[in-house]
């Protein structure tokens, strides 16, 4: 099969021939339909110390059609259209029973969506209803990331919510906050670029960050935010969130910053801020995201800005490392 491979930091990705995968016990192989490019694909191939292993096929926001099933698989059959978590656990430990498969001590990664075929685990696969496209299926992972964070917030009805960052995860947090109890939701970003997108996903208003941001936020929300979702992952964003949130407020970090990000505990203490870090997703969250799209809440489709083939992926990765106008780029390995 053909696959786009991360070779090493600082070198372009390479499209090359790789052996077709075969399903192990409890696994299926899918013909990849779409795979979304994620910020972590850029950050964790940048040579800053937390990179994926060299010579790896990445891609963890995928959907596709089952073409082969392994031993013991009962819930999937050839022809099923599915998405799946890009990880599976042992299925038996405390973490797995809580649905937190990424924290299973025996977690196995199942990335590899930048290829014509890939393996998935039966245990983490979710069927796509007929009304949903393969593009929709590839939106489920980033939607589930936002959903997990919003669930950790446990929003009371009418809560005032600020989302810092209007990338895919911030947009997903906006979408879910609006559907899971929030009152006013305001999206904030450094640029105007994603204003329309944030409003389309449910934000009541959109403000620019920078000089005077606290006033703009308070005005747009008619008060300070009870909840701040940090969804940009840049250094300084945690303290910015703490500064903006209301006393006794809750900051939820979804940004996945991989550099030291200092906060002043005294300011957090004065405001008695609660700070939560949100990690990934669970199988029920994947299913819930699929069900929400299937019920007609297809606003997240606005996030998709480009569909490209495998051959265009190496150049797109380099484009996305600089200033660009994309939000969610979907790769169709068969285009
Ligand atoms: Zn991702
Ligand atoms: Zn486990």
């Amino acid at each position: 099969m053909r696959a786009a491979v991360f070779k090493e930091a600082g070198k372009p990705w390479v499209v090359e021939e790789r052996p077709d995968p075969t399903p192990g016990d409890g696994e299926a192989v899918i013909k990849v339909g779409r795979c979304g490019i994620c910020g972590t694909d850029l950050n964790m191939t940048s040579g800053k110390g937390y990179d994926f292993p060299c010579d790896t096929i990445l891609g963890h926001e995928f959907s596709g059609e089952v073409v082969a099933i392994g031993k013991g698989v009962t819930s999937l059959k050839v022809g099923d259209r599915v998405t799946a978590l890009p990880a599976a656990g042992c299925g038996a430990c405390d973490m797995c029973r809580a649905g937190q498969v990424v924290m299973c001590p025996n977690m196995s990664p199942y990335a590899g969506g930048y290829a014509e075929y890939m393996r998935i685990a039966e245990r983490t696969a979710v069927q796509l209803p007929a009304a949903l496209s393969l593009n929709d299926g590839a939106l489920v992972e980033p939607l589930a990331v936002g959903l997990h964070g919003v669930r950790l917030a446990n929003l009371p009805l009418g809560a005032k919510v600020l989302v810092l960052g209007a990338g895919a995860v911030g947009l997903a947090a906006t979408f879910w906050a609006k559907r899971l109890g929030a009152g006013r939701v305001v999206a904030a970003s450094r640029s105007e670029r994603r204003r329309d997108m944030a409003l389309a996903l449910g934000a009541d208003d959109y403000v620019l960050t920078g000089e005077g941001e606290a006033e703009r936020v308070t005005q747009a929300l008619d008060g300070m935010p009870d909840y701040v979702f940090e969804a940009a992952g840049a250094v300084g964003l945690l303290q910015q969130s703490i500064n903006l949130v209301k006393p006794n407020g809750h900051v939820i970090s979804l940004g996945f910053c991989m550099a030291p990000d200092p906060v002043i505990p005294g300011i957090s203490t004065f405001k008695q801020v609660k700070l939560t870090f949100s990690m990934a997703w669970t199988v029920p969250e994947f299913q819930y995201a699929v069900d929400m799209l299937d019920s007609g809440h297809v606003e997240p489709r606005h996030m998709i800005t480009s569909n490209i083939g495998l051959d265009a992926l190496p150049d797109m990765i380099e484009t996305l490392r600089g200033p660009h106008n994309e939000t969610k780029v979907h790769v169709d390995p068969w285009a």
Side-chain angles (χ1 to χ4, degrees), residues 21-55:
T22 49
D25 293 2
E27 292 181 344
V29 166
I30 60 169
K31 176 183 173 188
V32 178
R34 291 290 188 282
C35 184
I37 302 179
C38 177
T40 51
D41 296 330
L42 307 170
N43 295 339
M44 295 179 69
T45 57
S46 62
K48 293 192 186 130
Y50 297 95
D51 281 5
F52 290 113
C54 293
D55 218 33

Side-chain angles (χ1 to χ4, degrees), residues 12-315:
W13 293 22
V14 176
V15 177
E16 61 186 32
E17 273 302 314
R18 286 290 177 109
D20 286 348
T22 49
D25 293 2
E27 292 181 344
V29 166
I30 60 169
K31 176 183 173 188
V32 178
R34 291 290 188 282
C35 184
I37 302 179
C38 177
T40 51
D41 296 330
L42 307 170
N43 295 339
M44 295 179 69
T45 57
S46 62
K48 293 192 186 130
Y50 297 95
D51 281 5
F52 290 113
C54 293
D55 218 33
T56 309
I57 309 173
L58 304 177
H60 59 266
E61 304 180 359
F62 51 80
S63 65
E65 187 183 317
V66 174
V67 291
I69 54 169
K71 225 195 281 174
V73 172
T74 55
S75 65
L76 294 172
K77 58 181 192 313
V78 171
D80 284 352
R81 294 157 69 253
V82 295
T83 181
L85 277 63
C90 69
C93 71
D94 288 353
M95 291 296 134
C96 283
R97 279 200 300 271
Q100 295 177 286
V101 295
V102 264
M103 294 178 201
C104 172
N106 295 308
M107 187 271 279
S108 324
Y110 279 86
Y114 301 138
E116 290 176 329
Y117 298 100
M118 68 179 293
R119 292 180 304 125
I120 61 168
E122 175 191 28
R123 202 183 281 138
T124 66
V126 175
Q127 301 274 350
L128 294 179
L132 297 190
S133 66
L134 292 166
N135 283 109
D136 294 330
L139 285 175
V140 171
E141 195 273 350
L143 283 175
V145 168
L147 174 58
H148 192 73
V150 172
R151 290 187 70 228
L152 289 176
N154 211 356
L155 299 174
L157 290 180
K160 295 183 200 298
V161 171
L162 173 67
V163 180
L164 277 183
V169 169
L171 292 165
T174 299
F175 174 75
W176 291 114
K178 204 62 198 174
R179 270 154 198 84
L180 296 176
R184 280 185 79 73
V185 176
V186 170
S189 174
R190 284 182 304 184
S191 92
E192 287 283 356
R193 194 153 56 91
R194 297 191 179 119
R195 172 184 286 273
D196 291 346
M197 217 176 261
L199 296 178
L201 269 94
D204 295 290
D205 205 345
Y206 185 94
V207 300
L208 285 178
T209 53
E211 186 76 28
E213 63 186 17
E215 288 70 28
R216 286 193 291 281
V217 166
T218 305
Q219 196 168 35
L221 278 173
D222 195 21
M224 291 171 85
D226 304 301
Y227 295 80
V228 176
F229 291 91
E230 183 283 296
V235 171
L237 266 288
L238 277 186
Q239 185 62 47
Q240 194 179 345
S241 303
I242 290 162
N243 293 346
L244 289 166
V245 79
K246 194 174 170 175
N248 291 318
H250 190 172
V251 172
I252 298 94
S253 171
L254 282 161
F256 203 64
C257 182
M258 291 300 275
D261 187 8
V263 297
I264 302 170
I267 295 178
S268 315
T269 305
F270 253 114
K271 297 174 83 170
Q272 199 164 281
V273 169
K274 180 174 169 185
L275 175 58
T276 300
F277 293 88
S278 176
M279 178 57 199
W281 17 241
T282 61
V283 175
E285 286 161 352
F286 259 59
Q287 183 67 58
Y288 194 80
V290 166
D291 292 346
M292 184 63 76
L293 291 167
D294 192 39
S295 71
H297 286 287
V298 291
E299 297 90 342
R301 287 175 181 169
H302 288 283
M303 288 197 270
I304 303 169
T305 46
S306 292
N307 278 279
I308 62 170
L310 219 43
D311 291 315
L313 178 57
D315 281 349

